[in-house]
């Protein structure tokens, strides 16, 4: 599964607790990530073009920032056959690869698609996350790390992570189509509240998925959050004044 869109969010929750095995069999505790100046937690999928591109760029960035105390970990979730483990070892990443066969970390971080990257501050607080692989992925990673390291102001960071006019990501589907499809599968399955996250991802993708914005507003209204819903509908109207959904 690959979503050809990228999204961002400012998160304020702590990293989830988990204990996973590294490729060499040693144990890794999520508490080891707390206290580092800046941490990148990256969820990958083998033989996925977007993950392969992201890995190459992350490796380059890590070598640049290692001296500043930046820590990176890659997490491979789901059942991994011996052949897959061999392929992971062959990657020879300069940072640890953690194995998450029961999707403990995957669920804790509420990952939706691969690749998925989280930026964590020194207190172990999740600050930003992105899904998919933007064409300016390395620029975004450096901007977030520089911000967490105190080298960049919040305003300058926002400028640097703003998508360019060019398509934001590579892949097989454009915009937030696959997020939108996932949301409607959840809605049909009676999980309306859980559909909000993928709808928000689809709405915040570049370009925004207009129907996702309208559907998210309706869900917010159902939950009694009229203020956010109306604000969202105004944004949808600005982006697509002729949409039949408005």
């Amino acid at each position: 599964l690959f979503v050809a869109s990228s999204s961002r969010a400012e998160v304020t929750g702590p990293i989830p607790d988990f204990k996973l095995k590294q490729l060499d069999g040693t144990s890794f505790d999520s508490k080891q990530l707390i206290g580092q100046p800046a941490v990148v937690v990256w969820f990958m999928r083998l033989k996925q073009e977007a993950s392969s591109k992201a890995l190459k760029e992350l490796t380059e960035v890590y070598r640049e920032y290692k001296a500043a105390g930046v820590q990176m970990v890659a997490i491979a979730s789901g059942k991994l056959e011996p052949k897959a483990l061999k392929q992971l070892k062959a990657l020879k990443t300069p940072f640890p690869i953690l194995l998450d066969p029961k999707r403990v970390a995957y669920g804790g971080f509420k990952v939706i698609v691969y690749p998925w990257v989280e930026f964590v501050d020194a207190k172990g607080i999740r600050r930003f996350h992105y899904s998919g692989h933007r064409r300016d992925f390395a620029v975004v990673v450096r901007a977030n790390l520089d911000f967490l390291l105190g080298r960049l102001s919040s305003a300058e960071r926002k400028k640097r992570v703003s998508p360019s006019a060019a398509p934001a990501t590579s892949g097989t589907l454009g915009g937030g189509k696959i997020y939108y499809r996932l949301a409607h599968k959840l809605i049909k399955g009676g999980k309306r509240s859980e559909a909000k996250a993928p709808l928000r991802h689809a709405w915040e993708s570049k370009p925004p998925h207009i129907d996702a914005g309208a559907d998210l507003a309706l869900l917010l209204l159902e939950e009694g959050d009229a203020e956010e819903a109306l604000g969202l509908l105004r944004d949808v109207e600005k982006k697509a004044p002729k949409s039949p959904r408005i």
Side-chain angles (χ1 to χ4, degrees), residues 90-102:
L91 294 175
K92 296 182 179 179
T93 60
F95 43 82
I97 294 181
L98 312 181
L99 306 178
D100 187 20
K102 296 183 178 179

Side-chain angles (χ1 to χ4, degrees), residues 6 57 130 133-144 159-170:
S6 181
E57 291 173 280
Y130 296 80
H133 178 260
R134 287 170 50 154
R135 293 184 181 179
D136 57 352
F137 179 72
V139 173
V140 171
V141 173
R142 288 185 176 95
N144 284 304
K159 286 182 185 178
R160 284 173 54 179
V161 301
S162 294
S164 63
T169 58
S170 58

Side-chain angles (χ1 to χ4, degrees), residues 11 20 53 60 63 71 78 94 110 117 129-130 132 136 150 158 187 201 211 226 234-235:
V11 207
L20 301 175
K53 289 179 178 179
E60 181 180 334
R63 286 174 175 150
Q71 183 169 356
K110 300 187 185 303
V117 62
H129 72 247
Y130 296 80
D136 57 352
K158 286 181 180 179
I187 290 171
H201 281 303
D211 285 346
R234 290 191 196 101
D235 288 341

